[in-house]
């Protein structure tokens, strides 16, 4: 079994889910006392969040590139960036390592295409929903169209992520609002919803809605296990 590299801490709330989901999947597939070989570097999200909101993406990319090199040095055979938003600097991270970067969009798009879905609603940080790095990868590589909520709703989702979910706060009123936004995307023609922030699955799961969901944390973790177990 190959060693899975995790670049985490953005936020640590969702990084714990990556660790848990990867090990659960390995146990399910291999049984017994099997667990996943993992190399993890967890950064201080305060520093990253400041760079994000100040628009200092080149500095953020250099920061994560250094951390990715540490993950590789710890023995990782692949790398996952355990956050959707920081895939904006995926090219800088990938250039700093010699092992494969398993991209969260690639893993999610593969499942959508397998299901025959070509139009997806997207929830995430304002950066992920509004900037082209995420939706363009869906469109250009997989011919999948991405729908996003309106401006006020995008701001609300962004606030819920940073002010609640990244702090481990689960608010029923925020869940209800998120479900309203999901319903709006589905009514606008989305065939499924991409939970394009690694914390959103903490708030909204399949038990809360009839809309098909792609929890990118779970999708990314499962893709990593498949990769690690492939000879």
């Amino acid at each position: 079994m190959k060693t899975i590299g995790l670049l985490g801490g953005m936020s640590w709330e969702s990084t714990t889910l990556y660790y848990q989901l990867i090990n659960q999947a390995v146990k399910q597939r291999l049984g017994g006392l099997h667990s996943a070989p993992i190399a993890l570097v967890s950064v201080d999200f305060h520093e990253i969040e400041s760079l994000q909101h100040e628009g200092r993406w080149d500095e953020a990319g250099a920061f994560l590139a250094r951390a990715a090199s540490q993950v590789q040095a710890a023995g990782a055979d692949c790398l996952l960036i355990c956050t959707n938003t920081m895939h904006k600097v995926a090219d800088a991270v990938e250039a700093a390592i010699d092992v494969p970067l398993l991209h969260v969009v690639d893993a999610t798009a593969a499942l959508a295409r397998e299901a025959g879905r070509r139009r997806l609603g997207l929830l995430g940080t304002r950066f992920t929903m509004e900037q082209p790095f995420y939706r363009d990868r869906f469109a250009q590589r997989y011919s999948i169209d991405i729908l996003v909520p309106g401006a006020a709703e995008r701001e609300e989702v962004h606030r819920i992520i940073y002010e609640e979910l990244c702090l481990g706060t689960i608010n029923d009123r925020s869940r209800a609002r998120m479900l309203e936004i999901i319903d709006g995307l589905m009514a606008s023609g989305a065939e499924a919803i991409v939970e394009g922030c690694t914390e959103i699955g903490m708030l909204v799961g399949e038990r809360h809605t009839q809309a098909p969901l792609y929890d990118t944390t779970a999708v990314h973790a499962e893709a990593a296990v498949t990769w690690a177990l492939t000879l």
Side-chain angles (χ1 to χ4, degrees):
M1 190 187 330
K2 304 182 188 77
T3 298
I4 297 170
L6 301 180
L7 181 49
M10 301 168 282
S11 67
W12 68 261
E13 295 282 350
S14 62
T15 301
T16 62
L17 294 175
Y18 269 92
Y19 187 85
Q20 181 181 47
L21 290 167
I22 288 170
N23 278 292
Q24 286 174 341
V26 168
K27 180 181 178 180
Q28 182 179 28
R29 296 195 197 190
L30 300 183
L33 296 176
H34 281 288
S35 58
I38 291 174
L40 166 65
V41 170
S42 188
V43 303
D44 181 356
F45 189 38
H46 172 79
E47 298 180 57
I48 295 296
E49 184 271 340
S50 296
L51 294 173
Q52 288 175 340
H53 285 92
E54 292 169 12
R56 296 158 62 189
W57 294 103
D58 288 345
E59 292 176 57
F63 186 107
L64 291 192
R66 291 190 295 272
S69 296
Q70 291 179 295
V71 180
Q72 180 175 323
D77 295 308
C78 70
L79 182 77
L80 280 69
I81 305 173
C82 299
T83 162
N84 287 268
T85 295
M86 295 315 293
H87 278 74
K88 177 177 173 65
V89 299
D91 289 346
V93 171
E94 193 167 23
I97 56 177
D98 299 318
V99 297
L101 173 70
L102 305 186
H103 200 290
V104 67
V105 167
D106 297 342
T108 307
L111 290 182
R113 289 191 60 162
E114 184 179 334
R117 292 171 177 147
R118 298 288 183 173
R119 201 173 199 207
L120 306 177
L122 173 63
L123 299 177
T125 68
R126 187 173 65 241
F127 312 115
T128 301
M129 291 187 288
E130 295 180 357
Q131 297 184 20
F133 71 93
Y134 200 86
R135 62 176 185 267
D136 280 2
R137 193 174 182 101
F138 273 105
Q140 294 169 6
R141 297 196 178 205
Y142 303 100
S143 299
I144 293 174
D145 293 330
I146 295 294
L147 300 177
V148 297
E153 293 171 323
R154 295 197 300 271
E155 193 61 37
E156 198 164 3
V157 173
H158 185 87
R159 183 198 62 78
I160 290 169
I161 291 168
Y162 279 95
E163 296 182 12
E164 297 178 14
L165 299 180
C166 286
L167 298 174
T169 300
I170 304 301
N171 186 306
D172 288 340
R173 284 181 296 179
S174 294
R175 178 183 292 117
R177 184 62 183 123
M178 197 79 79
L179 290 171
E180 289 177 355
I181 295 170
I182 287 172
D183 288 344
L185 287 170
M186 296 298 291
S188 296
E191 298 169 305
I193 301 297
V194 177
E195 294 185 326
C197 169
T198 52
E199 287 83 18
I200 292 178
M202 296 163 52
L203 184 66
V204 176
E206 292 180 350
R207 68 188 182 278
H208 299 120
T209 177
Q210 294 183 345
L213 300 176
Y214 292 113
D215 178 348
T216 53
T217 305
V219 169
H220 208 193
E222 189 70 25
V225 171
T226 298
W227 187 91
L229 293 177
T230 301
L231 298 177

